């Protein structure tokens, strides 16, 4: 029944609200996709979305967390800011995990939250939350729009801050009275941020010092992080490493910045990194970190981290340099600019023995796993996916064992194909991130590798997959467990499996089907190649329930508190 | 070690919250913060007195402050020729015949009595923090009923000497 609520008659033509103005600013920023969810405080904005006749695509999630992780996946793959709209109060608070995730992993997001009307802010009004207060520690910057006049400027600034320097999330809180306000105006959007001037070009003196240090090095090593990806410097990195025969290790988030199959590539370093990469970090005498932040999952016990090395660090964020590791040669710069400067230098290379030793480690201590004759071996499964997709898919993951196996076994040869939650380790990230990635890269194959645990945190987004007709392949690495927790309990808590084994899981095939999506279950290795072929040649979304061995552990491993050279599980 | 850090910041809403939140999150011990408008419209000046554990910690502090979008300039002025002042209001218990005694104590500090009642008097003192501390110490025996301090505010002297060795001895 439709209630007869009296409405002011409006002329169809010529009225503009703050929300229309807001939409115009998004169009000016060339936004093509918005991830959002409506509610009371953003009704004026959604009305403007409706009336804007789709200058962009709006993707309606089924939970605001789905929106923001999708925006993260979009940003990671396209390099452009992901845009999110949510309502005030619960809409905004549902974004908190994703905002924190984007902050930790330096992803450019611009998030618009509705707010109660200016006049009632501070009165605990219906669906009021102190969004500025809550998001201050988890954003690069945040705003509350005070007047309609400043709206265009604030939006422009927000996009600028989110996407330049070290990228990060920016929140713009818009009170409802401002988005509803009728205006005839167009207002200036010029801004000045005297306190925000990211330094892009390296200091030539530091580059000279770095070149000298590398010339004297007997055991040089490059550690390449996500900074290389953000600055689109993969080609420069490859040229530099090849020119001076420098071995390369990657951080988890840096995968893809240097070809996984390259002979100079030692693989991923850190807690579940390769023996070759971790021992190289332990033994090197000059360590060049490009765009990584020496996270503790990478370094292990700091006392044993690169103990013999002179450390050089290229980073656009000066605060990361020297934060965890004393740094002899700091280079505050964009990775691409720094590598270009380094490429003009004459660097002597005299480290043949070192290279031989590293190759020896690579060959002698490769990653290993056991095959299984019952269920699938999870590492083998990732290997198969790599084969079938020819190593060329965009891969998103959730968090847990399956994430580490994917990082280990899906060798990335190209940049910006790897989407994972590193710093925050957010379960529930992987599947919605794949939705955003597919929207950002419609012509590419997108595969979400998720755990049976994490998938259940955001699987409501299956509706979006169906609604938006996105051909994402969802691979559930189903071990009937919170596998990573189970592994730590096995290793460090004498197999007391406290709350980590699932007694009940849904029938994921039927679940997918109930959303109108094709579901498949794979239980045996002998069936797998053919069934996966079917999955990957299917023109549409598929959810694949892959039943894998529960007791598998991720190896090798640096146990907590241990050093790089104290890995366990290096050999079978 | 105690450092005096000044920051020039854009006067935007939430800036103090953002900065103190960052200091709290990164576990810096704040002795005092004072904030006020500067000579330039839209620009404020903050003065922090912060305890840091070592040089690396100090470097992190200035870098994290500099990283804030609203922060235009950060200076560690601890080892420079500076003027640093704070103001304290001290209410002490006093009956009639103690008053003259207290007057005698405070006059070398160039402090002044700004309020008197039957059982108490309120003293205002400005100066370097160690001077203010010294006076508070001397007034303790009379019973301090209430005490409030503004925190240090500071800037560089007009003239900076070539050598700073002498200044290291008395940082405040
Ligand atoms: C939101 C959230 N809650 C809890 C954790 C802790 N945690 C890390 S891995 C993991 C297990 C994940 O299980 P699953 O998704 O099935 O992946 P698996 O490890 O089995 O591959 C848990 C609970 C987390 N990372 N994120
Ligand atoms: Mg699992």
């Amino acid at each position: 029944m439709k209630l007869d609520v009296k409405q002011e008659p409006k002329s169809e033509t010529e009225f503009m609200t703050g929300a229309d103005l807001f939409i115009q600013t998004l169009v000016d920023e060339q936004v093509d996709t918005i991830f959002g969810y409506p509610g009371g405080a953003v009704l004026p904005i959604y009305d403007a979305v409706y009336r804007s006749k789709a200058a962009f695509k709006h993707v309606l999630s089924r939970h605001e967390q789905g929106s923001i992780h999708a925006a993260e996946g979009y940003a990671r793959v396209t390099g452009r800011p992901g845009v999110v709209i949510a309502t005030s109060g619960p809409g905004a608070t549902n974004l908190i995990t994703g905002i924190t995730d984007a902050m930790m992993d330096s992803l450019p997001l611009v998030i618009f939250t509705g707010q109660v009307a200016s006049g009632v802010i501070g009165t605990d009004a219906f669906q009021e939350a102190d969004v500025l207060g809550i998001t201050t520690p988890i954003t690069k910057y945040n705003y509350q729009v005070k007047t309609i006049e400043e709206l265009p400027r604030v939006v422009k600034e927000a996009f600028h801050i989110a996407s330049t320097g070290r990228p990060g999330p920016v929140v713009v809180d818009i009170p409802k009275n401002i988005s509803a306000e009728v205006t005839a105006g167009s207002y200036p959007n010029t801004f000045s941020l005297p306190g925000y001037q990211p330094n892009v070009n390296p200091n030539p003196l530091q580059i000279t010092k770095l070149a000298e240090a590398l010339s004297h090095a007997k055991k040089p090593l490059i550690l390449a992080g996500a900074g290389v990806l953000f600055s689109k410097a993969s080609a420069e990195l490859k040229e530099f490493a090849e020119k001076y025969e420098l071995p390369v290790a990657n951080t988890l988030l840096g995968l893809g910045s240097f070809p996984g199959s390259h002979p100079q590539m030692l693989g991923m370093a850190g807690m579940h990194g390769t023996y070759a990469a971790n021992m190289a970090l332990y033994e090197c005498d000059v360590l060049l970190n490009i765009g990584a932040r020496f996270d503790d999952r990478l370094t292990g016990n700091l006392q044993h981290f690169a103990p013999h090395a002179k450390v050089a660090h290229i980073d656009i964020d000066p605060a990361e340099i020297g934060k965890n590791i004393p740094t002899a040669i700091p280079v505050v710069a964009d990775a691409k600019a720094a590598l270009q400067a380094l490429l003009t230098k004459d660097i002597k290379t005299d480290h043949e023995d070192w290279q031989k030793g590293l190759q020896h480690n690579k060959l002698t201590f490769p990653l290993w796993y056991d095959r299984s004759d019952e269920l699938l071996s999870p590492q083998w499964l990732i290997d198969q996916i790599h084969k079938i997709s020819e190593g060329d898919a965009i891969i998103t993951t959730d968090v847990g064992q399956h994430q580490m196996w994917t990082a280990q076994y899906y060798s990335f040869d190209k940049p910006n194909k790897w989407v994972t939650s590193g710093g925050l380790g957010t379960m529930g990230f992987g599947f919605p991130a794949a939705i955003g990635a597919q929207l950002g890269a419609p012509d590419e194959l997108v595969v979400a590798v998720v755990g049976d645990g994490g998938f259940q945190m955001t699987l409501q987004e299956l509706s979006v997959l169906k609604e938006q007709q996105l051909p994402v392949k969802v691979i559930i690495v189903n071990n009937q467990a919170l596998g990573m927790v189970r592994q730590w309990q096995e290793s460090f808590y004498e197999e007391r499996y406290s709350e980590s084994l699932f007694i009940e899981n849904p029938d994921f095939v039927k679940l997918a089907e109930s959303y109108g999506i094709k579901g498949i279950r794979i239980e045996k290795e002998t069936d797998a190649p053919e069934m996966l072929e079917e999955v990957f040649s299917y023109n549409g979304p598929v959810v694949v329930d892959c039943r894998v061995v529960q007791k598998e552990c991720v190896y090798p491993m640096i146990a907590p508190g241990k050093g790089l050279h104290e890995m366990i599980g290096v050999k079978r | 070690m105690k450092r005096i850090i000044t920051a020039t910041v854009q006067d935007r809403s939430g800036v103090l919250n953002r900065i103190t939140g960052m200091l709290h999150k990164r576990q810096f011990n704040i002795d005092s913060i004072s904030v006020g408008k500067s000579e330039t419209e839209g620009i404020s000046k903050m003065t922090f007195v912060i305890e840091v554990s070592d040089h690396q910690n100090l470097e992190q502090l200035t870098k994290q402050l500099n990283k804030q979008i609203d922060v235009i300039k950060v200076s560690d002025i601890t080892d420079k020729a500076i003027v640093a002042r704070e103001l304290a209001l001290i209410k002490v218990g006093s009956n009639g015949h103690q008053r003259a005694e207290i007057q005698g104590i405070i006059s070398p500090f160039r402090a002044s009595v700004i309020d008197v009642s039957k059982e108490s008097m309120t003293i205002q003192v400005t100066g370097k923090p160690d001077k203010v501390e010294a006076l508070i110490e001397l007034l303790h025996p009379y019973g301090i009923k209430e005490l409030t301090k503004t925190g240090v505010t500071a800037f560089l002297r007009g003239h900076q000497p070539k050598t700073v060795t002498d200044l290291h001895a008395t940082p405040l």
Side-chain angles (χ1 to χ4, degrees):
Chain A
M1 191 186 79
K2 196 172 166 221
L3 286 180
D4 191 16
V5 184
K6 278 245 156 45
Q7 292 199 343
E8 291 284 307
K10 275 178 202 149
S11 69
E12 265 294 311
T13 53
E14 294 304 312
F15 79 97
M16 190 189 210
T17 63
D20 294 311
L21 194 62
F22 164 68
I23 296 295
Q24 190 52 50
T25 63
L26 298 186
V27 173
D28 291 347
E29 292 295 329
Q30 286 160 9
V31 171
D32 59 12
T33 311
I34 294 177
F35 302 91
Y37 207 97
V42 286
L43 279 170
I45 290 179
Y46 273 90
D47 190 50
V49 167
Y50 187 90
R51 287 184 288 104
S52 74
K53 313 245 171 2
F56 39 70
K57 181 177 219 149
H58 181 280
V59 181
L60 175 66
S61 66
R62 293 300 184 270
H63 185 300
E64 287 86 351
Q65 187 182 3
S67 295
I68 193 154
H69 290 327
E72 290 183 85
Y74 175 93
R76 177 72 82 189
V77 164
T78 63
R80 296 196 302 272
V83 178
V84 178
I85 300 176
T87 193
S88 67
T93 54
N94 271 349
L95 298 174
I96 298 306
T97 302
I99 300 175
T100 316
D101 191 87
M103 185 69 174
M104 290 288 263
D105 288 352
S106 311
L107 290 172
L109 297 186
V110 183
I111 300 132
F112 299 97
T113 51
Q115 182 55 278
V116 300
S118 308
V120 295
I121 291 177
T123 65
D124 305 315
F126 177 63
Q127 294 195 329
E128 180 183 359
D130 177 10
V131 171
L132 278 196
I134 296 170
T135 61
T136 292
I138 54 167
T139 48
K140 186 169 173 186
Y141 202 62
N142 60 8
Y143 299 83
Q144 188 171 70
V145 180
K146 305 283 190 222
T147 63
I148 196 162
E149 287 81 12
E150 69 172 23
L151 181 65
R153 192 208 84 230
V154 166
V155 174
K156 188 140 187 84
E157 263 185 37
F159 275 89
H160 175 71
I161 291 174
S163 57
T164 52
R166 178 180 181 175
V170 177
V171 165
V172 181
D173 198 34
I174 308 178
K176 187 174 183 179
N177 55 309
I178 290 180
S179 50
E181 192 174 328
V182 174
T183 172
S186 69
Y187 306 104
N189 63 3
T190 46
F191 62 85
S192 115
L193 293 166
Y196 179 67
Q197 313 281 341
N199 188 56
V200 171
N201 292 314
N203 179 334
L205 212 75
Q206 296 302 98
I207 293 293
T208 305
K209 266 200 208 166
L210 177 48
E212 269 166 24
L214 286 170
S215 285
H216 289 117
K218 293 268 176 283
K219 301 174 176 181
L221 176 68
I222 294 174
L223 176 68
V228 176
L229 297 168
F230 290 127
S231 85
K232 303 187 170 64
S234 298
E236 286 80 1
L237 173 62
K238 183 158 173 276
E239 191 184 342
F240 176 66
E242 284 177 349
K243 187 168 172 190
Y244 304 115
E245 296 165 39
L246 299 164
V248 180
N250 265 152
T251 64
L252 171 68
L253 290 180
L255 291 174
S257 62
F258 190 74
S261 59
H262 197 285
Q264 283 163 244
M265 173 62 151
L266 303 172
M268 178 173 75
M271 182 170 270
H272 294 297
T274 64
Y275 179 82
N278 283 340
M279 284 312 286
L281 272 176
Y282 184 70
E283 288 171 351
C284 65
D285 64 358
V286 173
L287 173 60
L288 171 54
N289 171 351
I290 312 179
R293 60 182 176 85
F294 287 134
D295 171 74
D296 56 275
R297 289 276 153 128
L298 173 91
T299 61
N301 186 329
L302 284 178
Q303 269 189 329
H304 302 299
F305 181 75
H308 319 290
K310 181 175 212 172
V311 176
H313 188 169
I314 300 170
D315 207 303
I316 192 111
D317 179 1
E320 286 304 343
I321 302 179
K323 185 180 79 178
N324 297 338
I325 303 287
T327 301
I329 308 173
V331 184
V332 179
D334 177 68
K336 196 187 193 95
L339 282 164
Q340 280 166 348
L342 276 170
L343 275 164
T344 65
K345 296 283 167 189
D346 266 332
I347 298 173
K348 282 201 280 297
T349 53
D350 173 22
H351 31 76
E352 227 167 273
D353 288 351
W354 170 239
Q355 290 174 37
K356 270 193 204 136
L358 296 176
Q359 289 307 323
H360 171 83
N361 281 350
K362 233 174 118 170
L363 289 174
T364 322
F365 306 102
L367 294 166
W368 62 271
Y369 60 84
D370 287 326
R371 294 290 292 276
S372 145
D373 14 281
E374 290 164 34
L375 301 171
L376 309 182
S377 130
Q379 302 93 328
W380 178 84
L381 171 65
I382 306 297
D383 241 352
Q384 291 300 305
I385 292 169
H386 180 260
K387 281 209 185 81
I388 290 172
S389 60
E390 291 166 355
D392 202 30
I394 289 175
I395 305 279
T396 77
T397 75
D398 217 74
V399 169
Q401 290 184 311
H402 65 280
Q403 174 190 33
M404 291 299 129
W405 286 319
T406 309
Q408 290 178 331
Y409 291 95
Y410 197 97
S411 175
F412 293 89
D413 277 342
K414 290 188 195 156
N416 305 325
K417 300 230 162 193
W418 170 235
V419 185
T420 198
S421 164
L424 196 64
T426 307
M427 281 174 72
F429 170 88
F431 173 49
I435 291 176
Q438 185 76 78
L439 284 158
D443 300 329
E444 300 213 37
L445 169 63
V446 176
V447 182
V449 180
V450 297
D452 50 327
F455 184 52
Q456 292 186 67
M457 287 197 174
T458 43
L459 64 73
Q460 76 285 343
E461 302 300 309
L462 282 168
S463 295
V464 182
L465 211 54
K466 175 74 181 171
E467 208 161 80
Q468 300 286 337
Q469 302 278 323
L470 302 173
V472 172
K473 313 296 182 243
V474 182
I475 308 288
I476 306 172
V477 182
N478 185 355
N479 52 11
Q480 297 275 346
L482 298 170
M484 191 57 99
V485 174
R486 196 207 63 81
Q487 173 171 346
W488 281 53
Q489 289 169 339
E490 177 184 320
S491 301
F492 310 119
Y493 294 86
E494 297 168 325
E495 301 183 45
R496 290 187 293 279
Y497 297 124
S498 177
E499 304 298 319
S500 60
L501 306 179
F502 287 137
I503 297 156
E504 285 293 339
N505 257 342
D507 180 331
F508 289 112
V509 171
K510 281 198 188 138
L511 181 86
E513 284 166 1
S514 78
Y515 281 93
I517 292 171
K518 186 178 171 81
I520 290 183
R521 179 167 298 114
I522 308 180
E523 291 173 296
K524 282 208 292 280
E525 288 200 1
T526 43
D527 300 340
E530 200 177 315
M531 294 181 90
L532 284 171
E533 204 61 66
E534 185 191 334
V535 169
F536 281 84
S537 57
Y538 182 75
N539 184 20
V542 190
V543 172
V544 194
D545 179 16
C546 300
R547 311 302 294 267
V548 305
V549 181
Q550 188 180 69
K551 65 171 198 339
E552 274 299 317
C553 287
V554 185
Y555 287 127
M557 178 179 194
I558 302 169
K562 297 289 183 186
L564 287 167
H565 59 309
E566 297 172 299
M567 271 169 284
I568 51 174
V570 173
K571 287 207 140 188
R572 183 178 269 106
Chain B
M1 46 184 180
K2 236 176 220 147
R3 307 300 293 187
I4 307 177
I5 314 270
T6 59
T8 313
V9 305
Q10 263 198 308
D11 206 357
R12 289 187 161 195
S13 80
V15 55
L16 182 62
N17 186 24
R18 210 164 237 289
I19 289 175
T20 53
M22 180 280 290
L23 293 171
H24 180 68
K25 164 181 155 184
R26 302 214 177 253
Q27 302 204 293
F28 289 107
N29 276 325
I30 309 169
D31 258 33
S32 73
I33 298 184
S34 74
V35 195
K37 298 219 182 300
S38 77
E39 71 284 2
T40 313
E41 166 95 33
I43 304 286
S44 288
K45 194 73 172 276
M46 297 188 176
T47 308
F48 309 90
V49 178
I50 297 183
E51 185 73 38
V52 296
S53 52
D54 54 29
H55 197 80
Q56 191 188 349
N57 196 223
L58 172 62
E59 188 182 301
Q60 255 302 297
L61 170 64
T62 53
K63 283 178 165 178
Q64 291 294 345
L65 284 170
N66 259 316
K67 184 168 161 173
Q68 300 298 316
I69 307 277
D70 292 323
V71 173
I72 297 165
K73 187 167 187 242
V74 177
S75 317
D76 177 355
I77 60 170
T78 319
D79 300 333
K80 299 272 173 58
I82 57 172
V83 276
R85 295 287 181 272
E86 71 178 331
L87 181 145
L89 299 177
I90 313 155
K91 192 185 279 172
V92 290
S94 64
N95 48 36
H97 50 266
Q98 283 175 327
R99 271 189 204 135
E101 205 176 305
I102 291 174
Q103 278 289 359
I105 291 173
I106 68 171
S107 76
F109 288 85
R110 276 185 269 170
S112 51
V113 176
I114 55 169
D115 183 51
V116 180
S117 74
K118 262 211 203 101
E119 304 90 29
S120 73
M121 58 200 285
T122 300
I123 293 147
Q124 168 193 313
V125 59
T126 20
K128 298 181 192 175
D130 53 352
K131 168 182 155 185
V132 173
E133 258 332 292
L135 180 61
I136 293 169
E137 201 56 36
L138 287 171
L139 291 173
H140 248 296
Y142 299 92
I144 291 179
K145 296 188 152 183
E146 217 179 320
L147 172 72
T148 178
K149 288 201 257 181
T150 57
V152 177
T153 186
F155 54 44
L156 297 179
R157 286 183 186 277
H159 175 75
Q160 292 292 308
K162 292 272 177 305
T163 65
V164 290
T165 34
D166 294 345
L167 293 160
H168 277 280
T170 49
L172 284 180

